[in-house]
Amino acid sequence: MNRHLISAADLSRDDALRVLDTADELARISDRPIKKLPTLRGRTVVNLFFEDSTRTRISFEAAAKRLSADVINFSAKGSSVAKGESLKDTALTLEAMGADAVVIRHNASGAPHRLAEWVRGSVINAGDGAHEHPTQALLDAFTIRRRFGRSSNGQGPSGQAGRGGTLDGLRVTIVGDILHSRVARSNVILLHTLGAEVLLVAPPTLLPVAVDTWPCSIDYDLDAALSKSDVVMMLRIQLERMNAAFFPSVREYSRRYGLDCARMAQLPERAIVMHPGPMNRGVEIAAGVADSPRSTVVEQVANGVSVRMAVLYLLLGGAEGDQ
């Protein structure tokens, strides 16, 4: 792997499978009475969050602590950043503290890339603007692989997710606010790398200008896509990022692009429903769907810790042998 994880495009197929296989091994720690390994003892991981995100920050913190790393949580609110300190000055401060890895979430696309130019430690992108969120894509792929129990040759269910399993041939439909979604961008890149067929379904107003250059196909009719989908990933409508009227009303959007129980019944028998969270119940996903056995929402949260442990381990613990 590279020294940083800024984009899902940083991962080759072998890199991505290595992360997923490592996460499989580390997930077993959750079943132990003592859920810790000494792998990163003496290393320092800084969570540098310029945007609120309780779920992602806690997930990275739990992952680092389970590997015995020292964790520093840095929030922009109430810090020197709120007093006008620049990202570069903050980076130099972290460098002086000896940070081995910086997990950054920022409202500006490209901030992790700039940070990587200023620090010697590894930089992990935990979400930058409407750009990317690579560890979310990794945990989503990990969840899909486990649910479908892909065998090492990718030929279908084996009853258990095996090492080296791929997503070859799986059909993943991503629905909703593609325009503002960093999760969608990272998932399209990573799922394509792992061999899945990706379909984006959204109103034309919620698709990026250059979406036709992405390695996926596009449709505007959710009902037509459901019967052909192995995985349906619903995205949150990000009203806080919208500065224009992208659809007539929330009610109209829900009617056209929301996943309710009637629509879920159109899915193939083994299909699953995903959501990166937080969910707007009753808008993009009905409560009955979110709480159904087909939903992987809770699994995604649990798998996020294992996947982020794998990323930290490979960037820091396994770094000596890779560079």
Side-chain angles (χ1 to χ4, degrees):
M1 285 180 65
N2 296 327
R3 186 160 60 95
H4 308 296
L5 179 56
I6 296 172
S7 165
D10 295 338
L11 298 168
S12 66
R13 183 182 173 95
D14 287 342
D15 288 336
L17 289 174
R18 188 179 179 194
V19 173
L20 300 183
D21 289 341
T22 303
D24 257 328
E25 297 291 340
L26 293 173
R28 299 175 188 176
I29 296 174
S30 300
D31 300 326
R32 293 172 18 176
I34 300 176
K35 300 176 174 58
K36 291 196 91 170
L37 290 173
T39 311
L40 298 186
R41 184 177 295 158
R43 300 295 189 104
T44 300
V45 176
V46 177
N47 286 331
L48 180 61
F49 277 57
F50 292 84
E51 278 187 336
D52 293 332
S53 178
T54 304
R55 180 185 283 100
T56 302
R57 181 182 59 77
I58 290 178
S59 181
F60 270 109
E61 183 175 357
K65 287 183 174 178
R66 287 188 184 182
L67 293 172
S68 300
D70 298 317
V71 180
I72 298 173
N73 288 316
F74 185 105
S75 174
K77 291 182 179 178
S79 72
S80 53
V81 173
K83 302 172 186 175
E85 183 174 82
S86 68
L87 176 61
K88 183 172 184 178
D89 289 331
T90 301
L92 296 177
T93 299
L94 298 177
E95 183 72 12
M97 291 179 180
D100 296 292
V102 180
V103 180
I104 178 172
R105 169 165 287 202
H106 202 284
N107 55 8
S109 299
H113 179 77
R114 294 307 305 270
L115 183 66
E117 298 174 352
W118 299 323
V119 299
R120 286 194 293 268
S122 296
V123 173
I124 301 170
N125 182 3
D128 61 327
H131 181 225
E132 281 210 47
H133 194 352
T135 60
Q136 179 68 44
L138 283 165
L139 75 88
D140 290 340
F142 183 76
T143 302
I144 294 170
R145 193 169 77 150
R146 284 203 144 194
R147 270 291 183 119
F148 281 87
R150 306 295 286 188
S151 63
S152 58
N153 60 13
Q155 295 301 310
S158 62
Q160 182 178 352
R163 285 179 59 84
T166 69
L167 306 185
D168 289 328
L170 281 178
R171 293 163 297 183
V172 181
T173 299
I174 303 176
V175 185
D177 187 1
I178 310 295
L179 178 63
H180 302 99
S181 177
R182 49 196 169 206
V183 173
R185 285 166 172 77
S186 289
N187 262 297
V188 167
I189 295 168
L190 184 68
L191 291 172
H192 174 74
T193 298
L194 291 172
E197 301 172 14
V198 183
L199 171 67
L200 301 181
V201 177
T205 52
L206 288 178
L207 289 170
V209 173
V211 71
D212 56 340
T213 65
W214 295 13
C216 62
S217 49
I218 300 164
D219 202 344
Y220 308 108
D221 187 347
L222 177 57
D223 292 299
L226 291 174
S227 63
K228 300 176 286 186
S229 302
D230 297 304
V231 179
V232 176
M233 184 182 299
M234 305 305 296
L235 299 176
R236 180 174 67 89
I237 292 298
Q238 300 187 40
L239 296 173
E240 74 278 8
R241 295 181 187 272
M242 295 186 183
N243 54 9
F246 290 90
F247 44 81
S249 68
V250 171
R251 183 177 179 181
E252 174 67 10
Y253 175 88
S254 183
R255 188 182 70 82
R256 291 283 307 276
Y257 294 99
L259 186 64
D260 55 19
C261 292
R263 281 198 166 116
M264 186 172 67
Q266 299 178 41
L267 293 170
E269 185 179 350
R270 296 187 69 246
I272 61 173
V273 177
M274 308 185 75
H275 196 301
M279 294 182 289
N280 290 320
R281 289 175 180 252
V283 180
E284 73 269 3
I285 189 168
V289 176
D291 298 330
S292 75
R294 289 188 169 198
S295 170
T296 66
V297 175
V298 176
E299 291 171 49
Q300 287 170 263
V301 175
N303 291 339
V305 176
S306 300
V307 166
R308 286 162 179 142
M309 286 176 69
V311 169
L312 289 169
Y313 168 74
L314 292 171
L315 290 179
L316 300 181
E320 291 84 350
D322 296 340
Q323 296 180 17

